Amino acid sequence: METMANKIAIEKAKSSKIHDVDFDNLSFGSVYSDHMLVCDYKNGKWNTPKVVPYQPITLDPSAKIFHYGQSIFEGMKAYKDENGKVWLFRPEENCKRLNKSAQRLAIPEIPEAYFMEGLNTLIDLESEWIPQSPGSSLYIRPFVFASGNGFHASPADEYKFIIACAPSGSYFSGKVKVLIEETYSRAANGGVGYAKAGGNYAGQFYPTKLAADKGYQQVIWTDDNTHEFIEEAGAMNVFVRINDTLMTAPTSDRILDGITRKSILDIAKDEGIKTEVRKISVHELVEAAENGSLKEMFGAGTAAVVSPISGFGYHGKDYDLPDLEESYASLLKKRITDIQYNRAEDKFGWRHEVIQ
């Protein structure tokens, strides 16, 4: 990886908000740390990033983000081990995916050195904001949006790259009940489903609300053409265990290439669990639920790592999943979090130490 020519300047906050935060009662993504990284794209190039106090952003009403939706983001976490060392989990993959999203939305790609060195500088400065209670972490949100002005429908000429942080407690809400979607689609062939674009998530809110009105916590998205194959669980990748085989849908231009997803597949293989990456039909899922071979379903993503599913609804009927004492979900979550918190060997080379 290339390094930056200029050192990242740091403007420290005049006073810290950290003493006003109740770290024993942190909700997800609602309290923000003292500083953020900011980098502007102007005159055809990205300027040197800088760290500034966390603050509001001022934009012209004609800024293209408001009109044409050029907005992408990532989700990451920083962890602190029992010795106070700070770790990231596969940050290079977040950088690659952010730039993959940028390419699809005609946004200039972020130089890897800007992302990695900017991230290290910010997290080092904010290390006191990383909570150490079980399951807690510092959630990190890198995002890029069109800040250039104009009502004409074309890519902007200016962009802003920001990394902001939010200390968060353990993200666990118990098992969720999901509804298999039969009408709406999260993404379509040739679209932007594989990108972490803001609009992808905005489009999910209405069908999810309709599912919630029926008593479900989340939606299982199906393919846009036939609604015959399951693809994602809410904003997460979805895994299915039939008998002792763990399955997930293949990535495509509709399905996000989840970092937790690929980590689970690698760890499952390391555990000797049979895995399959293939299309999973709703018919197969229902049949497995009816004959008892469907053992588990769970979502996988950065925030929750693994989110177990207790049952699903389809065609007006509910199907319950068994409550297993030794589930793949709990095993895989423990393996990943032990690596993230530096509690176990990292044979995959995923853990990245923040140099302090």
Side-chain angles (χ1 to χ4, degrees):
M1 183 185 78
E2 294 183 359
T3 57
M4 291 178 53
N6 300 315
K7 188 176 180 181
I8 295 173
I10 298 176
E11 178 191 345
K12 289 191 175 181
K14 293 180 181 178
S15 61
S16 177
K17 308 184 297 284
I18 196 167
H19 303 295
D20 300 325
V21 177
D22 181 359
F23 279 86
D24 293 325
N25 294 285
L26 288 169
S27 57
F28 184 78
S30 60
V31 175
Y32 313 103
S33 67
D34 288 327
H35 300 89
M36 63 186 190
L37 182 93
V38 179
C39 185
D40 290 307
Y41 181 90
K42 293 183 178 181
N43 300 318
K45 66 176 183 178
W46 286 103
N47 297 325
T48 302
K50 57 185 178 181
V51 173
V52 300
Y54 185 90
Q55 59 193 271
I57 301 165
T58 301
L59 292 172
D60 192 281
S62 67
K64 290 200 171 185
I65 175 59
F66 300 133
H67 308 282
Y68 303 111
Q70 280 182 290
S71 172
I72 57 175
F73 70 96
E74 278 296 317
M76 313 170 61
K77 289 179 179 178
Y79 312 85
K80 189 175 285 186
D81 67 21
E82 61 182 14
N83 296 316
K85 287 188 175 181
V86 177
W87 304 90
L88 299 170
F89 184 72
R90 309 187 75 175
E92 300 88 351
E93 292 294 327
N94 291 100
C95 182
K96 289 177 186 176
R97 192 171 61 184
L98 186 70
N99 280 331
K100 187 177 180 182
S101 299
Q103 185 181 60
R104 181 62 181 86
L105 270 72
I107 294 172
E109 295 182 27
I110 307 291
E112 184 181 0
Y114 283 32
F115 185 97
M116 293 300 295
E117 293 187 36
L119 185 61
N120 192 90
T121 301
L122 178 64
I123 301 309
D124 178 32
L125 182 64
E126 303 293 75
S127 62
E128 293 300 314
W129 282 88
I130 305 174
Q132 288 186 273
S133 57
S136 61
S137 60
L138 183 68
Y139 185 77
I140 306 166
R141 173 54 60 88
F143 60 105
V144 186
F145 64 90
S147 55
N149 302 332
F151 289 147
H152 47 291
S154 62
D157 57 359
E158 295 183 2
Y159 297 86
K160 196 174 284 286
F161 167 48
I162 293 175
I163 304 179
C165 304
S168 297
S170 179
Y171 190 96
F172 181 73
S173 57
K175 291 188 175 183
V176 297
K177 187 179 174 185
V178 300
L179 178 66
I180 294 179
E181 183 56 57
E182 302 178 61
T183 302
Y184 297 97
S185 299
R186 176 191 171 274
N189 289 328
V192 297
Y194 68 87
K196 282 189 76 72
N200 287 347
Y201 297 81
Q204 294 185 35
F205 295 154
Y206 178 64
T208 303
K209 178 185 178 300
L210 296 180
D213 291 342
K214 297 177 181 178
Y216 300 91
Q217 286 80 49
Q218 199 48 267
V219 165
I220 293 286
W221 300 104
T222 51
D223 68 288
D224 64 301
N225 186 27
T226 65
H227 294 289
E228 291 178 2
F229 298 94
I230 68 169
E231 296 196 334
E232 292 199 347
M236 309 175 80
N237 294 117
V238 64
F239 281 84
V240 172
R241 174 186 173 185
I242 294 180
N243 290 319
D244 290 331
T245 301
L246 187 65
M247 297 176 283
T248 192
T251 57
S252 66
D253 54 9
R254 298 188 311 276
I255 298 176
L256 186 72
D257 185 13
I259 296 166
T260 306
R261 171 190 177 276
K262 63 179 71 175
S263 302
I264 283 175
L265 287 171
D266 287 343
I267 290 175
K269 292 172 187 174
D270 187 61
E271 288 283 346
I273 296 171
K274 183 182 178 182
T275 61
E276 292 181 2
V277 178
R278 63 169 175 84
K279 288 185 174 182
I280 305 165
S281 72
V282 178
H283 173 74
E284 179 181 11
L285 199 65
V286 170
E287 185 177 56
E290 289 178 338
N291 65 28
S293 61
L294 178 62
K295 306 299 184 184
E296 294 181 68
M297 290 176 65
F298 57 86
T302 298
V305 184
V306 168
S307 181
I309 293 170
S310 63
F312 67 90
Y314 181 67
H315 273 350
K317 183 177 179 180
D318 285 337
Y319 300 85
D320 293 325
L321 274 72
D323 190 9
L324 304 179
E325 285 189 15
E326 296 183 1
S327 66
Y328 286 177
S330 59
L331 169 66
L332 296 166
K333 181 173 183 176
K334 185 177 188 305
R335 279 288 307 269
I336 289 181
T337 54
D338 280 351
I339 292 173
Q340 291 171 335
Y341 288 92
N342 194 29
R343 295 190 295 249
E345 176 193 2
D346 176 19
K347 62 172 66 177
F348 305 99
W350 292 337
R351 201 162 47 220
H352 174 93
E353 185 176 358
V354 174
I355 305 302
Q356 297 174 277

